[in-house]
């Protein structure tokens, strides 16, 4: 067998690889954290729901969950795909993540 030798990486190449890996990790963390909302964002979502004539009780009845479960999702304490999907739809967003990202952009 032939032995193949590879050239050692330069400092600049190492820095570039590290930067790429950090960016990749940052995107993964953002994807995982994208569903999380702050209490302030939750209050804003509740306000928007009230503006469109929808209450936590309405969402609870529609999803078959308790009002407390809806409250926990809207305060950022819990996650429920069912509740999140209904809330996003009521507010005209294609998904919960899109809604949360829009809220973050508004705050920035």
């Amino acid at each position: 067998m032939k032995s193949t030798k590879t050239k050692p990486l330069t400092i600049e190449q190492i820095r570039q690889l590290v930067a790429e890996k950090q960016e990749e990790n940052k995107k993964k963390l953002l994807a995982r954290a994208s569903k999380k909302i702050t209490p302030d964002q939750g209050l804003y979502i509740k306000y928007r729901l009230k503006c469109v004539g929808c209450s936590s009780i309405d969402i609870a009845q529609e999803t078959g969950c308790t009002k407390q479960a809806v409250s926990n999702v809207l305060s950022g304490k819990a996650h429920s795909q069912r509740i999140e999907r209904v809330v996003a739809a009521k507010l005209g967003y294609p998904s919960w993540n899109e809604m949360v990202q829009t809220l973050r952009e508004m705050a920035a």
Side-chain angles (χ1 to χ4, degrees), residues 60-100:
Q61 289 173 343
E62 188 172 331
T63 58
C65 297
T66 64
K67 182 180 179 283
Q68 185 61 46
V70 174
S71 180
N72 287 341
V73 170
L74 295 179
S75 64
K77 295 178 185 174
H79 292 291
S80 166
Q81 288 182 352
R82 215 173 359 163
I83 295 170
E84 291 169 351
R85 190 179 314 116
V86 169
V87 169
K90 295 276 185 194
L91 297 178
Y93 292 95
S95 71
W96 177 265
N97 284 351
E98 297 243 355
M99 181 180 70
V100 172

Side-chain angles (χ1 to χ4, degrees), residues 36-42 44-45 48 93 98-108:
K36 294 182 181 179
I37 60 169
T38 65
D40 288 340
Q41 290 170 332
Y44 181 73
I45 292 169
R48 293 277 315 277
Y93 292 95
E98 297 243 355
M99 181 180 70
V100 172
Q101 288 171 352
T102 302
L103 289 174
R104 287 184 183 152
E105 290 168 3
M106 288 172 44

